[in-house]
């Protein structure tokens, strides 16, 4: 007969609420405000180019009957160029690797790293094998407030409630 020895130990879990944590970190709020301001500024630039393209198109529609083929072609090319300029600017600012993404990464990564390190330190100190974010859509139906370490993470980061 085989004797199999099983080592069963209770695993420890904890929850954090990242929304709550981030809401209580002033640097995060400032970074968000910066991102909103720069986003609005860049969107205004894109909108201005789009409006210019629309104006060129409306003017073209009003003048088309009076234009020669060469003039029509030139106006159409100008409209297409302005539309392309607006699309390129939008991609530059808001594309997957655009300026907004880069700025968000530059502002948010240090804050996220600081939170991660605090959570990791607490996990190692308390022996947690798993810490879940209750604010994310991971399917947590119920989490006992007794295992929520969000306030402890904030205290470790130097923010008290």
């Amino acid at each position: 007969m085989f004797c199999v020895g099983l080592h069963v130990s209770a695993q420890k879990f904890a929850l954090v609420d990242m929304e709550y944590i981030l809401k209580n970190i002033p640097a995060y709020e400032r970074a968000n405000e910066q991102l909103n301001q720069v986003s609005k500024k860049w969107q205004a630039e894109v909108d201005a180019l789009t409006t210019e393209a629309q104006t060129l198109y409306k003017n073209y529609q009003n003048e088309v009957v009076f234009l020669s083929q060469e003039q029509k072609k030139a106006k159409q090319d100008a409209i297409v160029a302005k539309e392309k300029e607006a699309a390129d600017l939008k991609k530059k600012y808001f594309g997957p690797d655009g300026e907004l993404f880069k700025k968000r990464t530059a502002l948010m990564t240090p804050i996220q790293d600081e939170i991660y390190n605090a959570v990791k330190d607490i996990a190692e100190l308390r022996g947690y094998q798993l810490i879940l974010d209750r604010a994310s859509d991971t399917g947590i139906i119920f989490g006992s407030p007794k295992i929520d370490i969000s306030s402890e993470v904030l205290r470790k980061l130097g923010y008290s409630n």
Side-chain angles (χ1 to χ4, degrees):
M1 292 203 96
F2 284 91
C3 289
V4 178
L6 295 176
H7 175 56
V8 178
S9 65
Q11 294 185 0
K12 292 178 72 177
F13 304 99
L15 295 174
V16 294
D17 185 336
M18 287 302 293
E19 283 181 21
Y20 170 76
I21 291 170
L22 291 171
K23 219 184 319 179
N24 285 284
I25 296 178
Y28 177 78
E29 293 297 322
R30 285 190 302 273
N32 254 344
E33 184 56 35
Q34 272 186 294
L35 290 170
N36 287 338
Q37 287 174 359
V38 77
S39 177
K40 286 177 186 175
K41 176 184 167 231
W42 289 340
Q43 187 61 50
E45 289 179 36
V46 171
D47 290 346
L49 285 175
T50 302
T51 301
E52 284 181 45
Q54 291 170 346
T55 302
L56 287 173
Y57 182 69
K58 286 177 187 171
N59 290 342
Y60 171 76
Q61 285 181 317
N62 292 335
E63 301 168 350
V64 71
V65 293
F66 305 112
L67 299 174
S68 68
Q69 283 302 103
E70 294 146 5
Q71 291 171 323
K72 285 180 187 177
K73 175 80 170 116
K75 297 260 183 187
Q76 290 169 354
D77 290 347
I79 294 166
V80 169
K82 190 58 74 175
E83 289 172 341
K84 183 179 180 341
E85 185 181 353
D88 289 348
L89 190 62
K90 185 174 184 175
K91 183 179 177 185
K92 174 186 172 192
Y93 287 150
F94 302 107
D97 291 320
E99 296 299 317
L100 187 62
F101 174 79
K102 291 174 186 171
K103 188 151 189 75
R104 177 175 281 118
T105 301
L107 291 172
M108 297 300 184
T109 298
I111 297 167
Q112 291 168 337
D113 288 348
E114 189 178 14
I115 293 168
Y116 171 79
N117 288 331
V119 169
K120 183 179 168 208
D121 290 348
I122 292 169
E124 289 172 356
L125 178 70
R126 299 263 180 100
Y128 295 126
Q129 283 83 28
L130 179 67
I131 298 180
L132 301 170
D133 179 9
R134 74 171 11 173
S136 68
D137 295 330
T138 58
I140 298 172
I141 296 171
F142 173 77
S144 172
K146 293 176 185 175
I147 64 170
D148 190 324
I149 61 168
S150 301
S151 293
E152 186 176 352
V153 171
L154 281 170
R155 280 192 300 277
K156 180 140 183 80
L157 291 169
Y159 304 103
S160 60
N161 301 12

